[in-house]
């Protein structure tokens, strides 16, 4: 199915589905009898978010936010810019930020600080992927799907220059594509 821009499939559809179900069950247990506001960070988390939301069995609200830390290419510029804010207030709510990947940690540290200032009842981070070796700021996710090596990945929501988000698996991009 994939062309030469894909080096290999890193995480299969089945492995993703199994892990998403586990994360959903864990969140459902942790927030049993509570309401949760599940926040999707656009655009990278959209596919994971849609699957995760349907694996959670509590009262749930969905909201969307978009910040950007990346220019074109494969490494962060260190700057974070608000593109689209949440639609509803989160004061007093249990908020879970859903992200595609924790890389340098810059984006999520910014988002966490921003949303904490709005005084939610609780604030947790759920990320499909984590690349701990790439941290520039100290940051830990509360729910993490998979820890991965320092390789640039695409698919299941993750992009390279806005392409390849629709691939159903998490794949490693060929180093020839980005010169890495
Ligand atoms: P951070 O601020 O460096 O942690 O960057 C997080 C954002 O960078 C993620 O939300 C992704 O959009 C993007 N990113 C980091 N690593 C990758 C990758 O391997 N593939 C695709 N996007 C990535
Ligand atoms: Mg992103």
């Amino acid at each position: 199915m994939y062309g030469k821009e894909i080096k290999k499939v890193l995480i299969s559809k089945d492995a993703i589905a199994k892990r998403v179900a586990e994360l959903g069950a864990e969140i459902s247990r942790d927030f049993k009898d509570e309401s949760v506001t599940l926040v999707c960070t656009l655009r990278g988390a959209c596919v994971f978010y849609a699957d995760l939301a349907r694996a959670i069995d509590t009262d749930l609200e969905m909201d969307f936010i978009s910040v950007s830390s990346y220019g074109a290419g494969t490494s962060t510029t260190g700057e974070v810019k608000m593109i689209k804010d949440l639609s509803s207030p989160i004061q007093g709510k249990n908020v879970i930020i859903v992200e595609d990947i924790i890389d340098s940690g810059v984006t999520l540290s910014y988002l966490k600080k921003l949303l904490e200032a709005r005084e939610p009842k609780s604030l947790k981070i759920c990320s499909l992927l984590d690349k701990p070796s790439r941290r520039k700021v100290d940051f830990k996710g509360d729910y993490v799907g998979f820890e991965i090596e320092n390789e640039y990945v695409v698919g299941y929501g993750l992009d390279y220059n806005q392409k390849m988000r629709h691939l159903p698996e998490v794949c490693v991009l060929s180093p020839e594509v980005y010169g890495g």
Side-chain angles (χ1 to χ4, degrees), residues 5 14 25 27 35 39-40 56 67 73 77 88 96 101 105 111-112 116-117 131 136 153 155 158 166 172 177-178:
E5 66 274 16
D14 284 355
I27 291 169
S35 294
V39 172
C40 179
I56 298 175
V67 296
T77 58
S88 304
I96 303 178
I101 186 165
L111 253 185
K112 201 172 172 185
E116 241 156 24
K131 273 188 206 170
K136 286 190 184 145
V153 289
L158 293 112
H166 66 298
V172 177
V177 177
Y178 66 94

Side-chain angles (χ1 to χ4, degrees), residues 16 19 25 31 42 50 55 63 68 72-73 97 101-102 125 141 158 162 167:
I16 294 170
R19 191 70 188 113
F31 292 93
L42 298 169
D63 207 341
S68 162
I97 303 176
I101 186 165
I102 314 173
I125 308 295
L158 293 112
Q162 300 308 330
L167 304 181

